[in-house]
Structure formats: structure tokens, C-alpha cells
Amino acid sequence: MTVSTDADLERTWLAESVRIAEQNVADGGGPFGALVAKDGKIVSTGVNRVTPSLDPTAHAEVVAIRAACQALGTFSLAGCVLVSSCEPCPMCLASSLWARLDRVLYAADRNDAARAGFDDRAFYELFEHPRETWQVPVSQVSTKDNFAPFAAWLGRADRIEY
């Protein structure tokens, strides 16, 4: 009798994320696949949907996170693991942190993605430089009501903390 270890399960999940990424390519999509697992079971999967859905945020990891939240009926994925066919880009990594995932596992890395024409390294490098040097200006414009939405939020006794 074979005893399955956590490492075996993780390799199985990684293989599945790679498989669904390859299937997405065969179906005309991008080469990325991801899944969210909890308690040893796959809760959701996601593939890159950027071009078919005309949504630059529809990366496989974000699609899988959204589906897992819907399946579990919560915005917190504490107790879950995200498994991706490739190292998550900064957006997907931030999404993982906001989702409160316990762990993130991936197969290929950012250098592999760059070799295939998906160079996220530029974003990682960009964040290391001051915003005033970025090509796309990102700056605060102060108004007298900057804090008003937050004051309204803090004034609600029924707010759901996240």
C-alpha cells in the first residue's frame, strides 16, 4: 500500500496546474493554469482568460481565487493553498495575500515566463524604483474629502472587517 505524503499531493496539484495550462493553450488561451486546494482537495481551478474576456486582471491565479471564494462562500481563503503552473506575477501575488491564502506553490518561474514572451520581471524591477521615475505617473492629489469614504466606513457598526 502506498502512503501519500503532502509532497506527493503538492506534486499532483502542480502537475494538474500544468495540465490545465497546456489545455488552455490547446483551446486558444494563454499558457497559465492555477488551482486552489483546501483540506487535500481541489476547490477551484482557473486558466488565463485575459484575451477571451478582455480583462487584463483575468490571470489564472485570480480566476482560481475568485472561483474558490464563490465555492467556499467567503472572501478569506485562509486554510487554502494556491498552486500555479508559473510563478505568480505581482498582481496575482498581491491577490494571494489579500485572499489570506496559507501558501503559494508554482512550477515554472518568472525567467521561464520571460523566455515565452511573458516578462513580468519588468514589474518586479519597477517596484524597486521610486514612483516619480515610473513611465506611468502614479501620484496623490489631495482634496478636502480624502478621508471621507474611510470615515463613512468607520462610522458603520455593521461593517465586515477584512
Side-chain angles (χ1 to χ4, degrees), residues 27 34-36 62-63 79 85 89 97 109-110 143 152 158-160:
D27 294 341
L35 61 86
V36 173
V62 172
V63 171
S85 63
C89 74
L97 297 173
D109 68 13
R110 65 183 80 168
T143 68
D158 63 343
R159 69 182 179 266
I160 298 172

Side-chain angles (χ1 to χ4, degrees), residues 47-128:
V47 294
N48 183 284
R49 305 277 309 143
V50 170
T51 56
S53 63
L54 304 177
D55 178 356
T57 68
H59 290 198
E61 296 89 344
V62 172
V63 171
I65 288 169
R66 289 174 182 162
C69 288
Q70 293 300 307
L72 296 172
T74 181
F75 58 83
S76 173
L77 296 180
C80 296
V81 59
L82 173 69
V83 183
S84 181
S85 63
C86 187
E87 181 178 4
C89 74
M91 177 186 68
C92 294
L93 188 54
S95 297
S96 299
L97 297 173
W98 275 110
R100 313 291 195 274
L101 287 154
D102 285 5
R103 289 182 303 138
V104 176
L105 304 173
Y106 59 89
D109 68 13
R110 65 183 80 168
N111 298 309
D112 296 321
R115 280 196 351 243
F118 298 90
D119 199 350
D120 296 338
R121 294 176 302 189
F123 295 118
Y124 285 100
E125 293 166 6
L126 176 68
F127 295 139
E128 295 174 2

Side-chain angles (χ1 to χ4, degrees), residues 131-153:
R131 285 185 180 178
E132 58 272 7
T133 66
W134 294 8
Q135 255 186 328
V136 175
V138 177
S139 55
Q140 180 182 19
V141 177
S142 294
T143 68
K144 67 180 181 88
D145 296 326
N146 283 3
F147 196 75
F150 297 112
W153 169 256

Side-chain angles (χ1 to χ4, degrees), residues 4-15 37 39-41 83:
S4 179
T5 66
D6 287 345
D8 292 336
L9 191 53
E10 289 173 356
R11 280 191 283 282
T12 299
W13 291 338
L14 284 163
D39 299 328
K41 298 191 179 355
V83 183

